[in-house]
Amino acid sequence: MNQQLTFAPADDSLWEQYDKLATRAYGHPIKDITHLREHADLQVAVRGGRVVAGGLGLLVDQYFGGAPVPSACLGDGCVAPEERGEHLATDMTTERLRPLIDRGAVISAIVTSSTGYARRLGWEAPTDVFAWSVATDELKRSFATQDFEIEHGLTGEAETLQRDLARQWNGPVHRPTWWTRWKQDKSNLTTYRFSRPAHPTAGLLNLTTKRHERHGMSLVVHDFWATDQPTAAAMLAFLGHHNTRARTIEFRRGALPPYPTLLQGLRHHRTTAEAWHPWMLRILDLPEAIRLRGWPHDLTTAVPMEIESERGGRDRWMLQITAGAAEIVPTHVEGQVALTRRQLAVWYAGGYRSSTSARLAGVHTASEKAIRTLVRSTTQFEPWLPDHF
């Protein structure tokens, strides 16, 4: 422990060392370390020539307000068990973010079970994340295919549909060209497209099978993209037609968009929901994150704000929104709404759906009009992150 610790980008030798460390730390191989080698950035901590910590980083765009925002998505991080307790993870996080910030990242997303640790560093969860399970027979009884045609396989038109629908939520990844192949190879996914006769693709479904220990199987849905309610109903009916083979349909955490399709459509509401550790967001560069985000075209306003700085104090900012564009600049005007760094991330993602929910979350305001305006500015789209990294 008394040997000097150094941080470095991983070369081939350090990649191999980190792969072995991650297997030991997690208790099983981490396939993404191999699959993402050509696309991810790997930073490691080295002590005495031995890798003792590290993690992957992906620089991808995430949609907020309909616009792509460069994001540092962190995953597959670990610290050697014998090195834990020395706050190495905190230093390692800083080093993992540094090269991605240099390449343009202005926000950062993570999916972690260590939510307390992430919150201490400024990340926060904008919305709940659930995995859903429903009896296949229940889907068969409750939804009808109507006149939709179902075709197997992914097409360019379907990928365009996914990108167009992703823009209508806060958080989905603008998937790079390699993203789909990575996910399909990793999870053995099968793709189905849904459309009305002589009409464009209106729905996209990715699923895989999970065999039970004794007999039978479940279907696990990874992607569920639908343009409207009839398309979603046809997709659920299609899943219900697997009732002779699969007793249950499982929607992987975050796979279902946050609208009550199952709640409103099932006859007996026989669903189970399992809460998962949520995706979390952190603002890295406030002015650029505000400039690059999409904003409502029908809103023109200026709101003075006080926002917690990384040093722990509060800085005064003026948020100005005009015709779909916004900027935030330092000001001497006293803030009418005060946000912590974590509250800033939730607001940015549209996680406060009303001024009431913002106040209950601890957002301080001296003006009801100011907080209503602030909340309205980011709630044009709902937060949803169906992508995992």
Side-chain angles (χ1 to χ4, degrees), residues 94 97 101 121-122 282-286 307-315 341:
T94 300
L97 284 174
I101 292 173
L121 297 181
R282 173 179 167 183
I283 308 301
L284 302 175
D285 183 333
L286 177 57
I307 300 174
E308 178 188 19
S309 70
E310 295 198 11
R311 302 180 303 276
R314 289 190 180 275
D315 297 326
R341 293 167 60 200

Side-chain angles (χ1 to χ4, degrees), residues 141-380:
R141 285 193 296 265
S142 300
F143 294 95
T145 305
Q146 299 179 18
D147 60 345
F148 278 82
E149 295 180 342
I150 305 167
E151 296 181 280
H152 167 254
L154 185 66
T155 63
E157 181 189 57
E159 290 184 300
T160 299
L161 171 72
Q162 187 276 328
R163 287 193 295 271
D164 290 343
L165 294 178
R167 288 180 179 272
Q168 300 173 24
W169 302 89
N170 290 330
V173 168
H174 177 96
R175 297 176 178 178
T177 55
W178 49 264
W179 188 280
T180 300
R181 174 64 65 179
W182 162 44
K183 290 297 184 180
Q184 287 180 334
D185 291 347
K186 175 182 177 181
S187 301
N188 192 29
L189 298 179
T190 303
T191 302
Y192 294 95
R193 310 186 312 278
F194 296 76
S195 63
R196 295 187 184 276
H199 283 74
T201 300
L204 180 66
L205 188 68
N206 270 329
L207 55 84
T208 188
T209 58
K210 182 173 73 174
R211 293 207 165 270
H212 293 171
E213 191 170 322
R214 292 187 177 181
H215 58 82
M217 53 170 278
S218 296
L219 288 185
V220 183
V221 176
H222 284 239
D223 265 321
F224 192 98
W225 298 91
T227 56
D228 51 29
Q229 189 276 332
T231 305
M235 293 165 66
L236 293 170
F238 168 77
L239 293 171
H241 291 162
H242 290 77
N243 64 317
T244 58
R245 298 184 59 231
R247 295 179 60 185
T248 59
I249 305 295
E250 300 176 15
F251 295 89
R252 192 175 188 269
R253 57 188 185 273
L256 275 183
Y259 55 71
T261 308
L262 291 178
L263 179 64
Q264 295 175 354
L266 291 179
R267 296 181 182 182
H268 303 294
H269 306 295
R270 293 175 181 170
T271 61
T272 58
E274 183 178 359
W276 287 82
H277 45 267
W279 67 278
M280 306 179 76
L281 186 70
R282 173 179 167 183
I283 308 301
L284 302 175
D285 183 333
L286 177 57
E288 279 298 285
I290 295 294
R291 184 183 69 83
L292 293 172
R293 192 191 191 282
W295 301 91
H297 286 267
D298 61 348
L299 181 62
T300 299
T301 190
V303 181
M305 306 167 63
E306 293 187 7
I307 300 174
E308 178 188 19
S309 70
E310 295 198 11
R311 302 180 303 276
R314 289 190 180 275
D315 297 326
R316 291 180 174 180
W317 298 89
M318 181 67 73
L319 173 67
Q320 298 173 310
I321 305 172
T322 306
E327 65 173 0
I328 192 166
V329 295
T331 184
H332 295 295
V333 178
E334 184 177 356
Q336 294 182 356
V337 180
L339 300 174
T340 66
R341 293 167 60 200
R342 302 200 311 270
Q343 290 167 347
L344 174 70
V346 176
W347 165 75
Y348 187 90
Y352 299 132
R353 306 307 297 173
S354 68
S355 58
T356 302
S357 66
R359 286 196 303 271
L360 284 173
V363 175
H364 295 287
T365 180
S367 165
E368 180 63 25
K369 179 181 178 181
I371 194 171
R372 284 201 307 266
T373 300
L374 196 66
V375 166
R376 179 192 168 197
S377 68
T378 59
T379 54
Q380 181 180 7

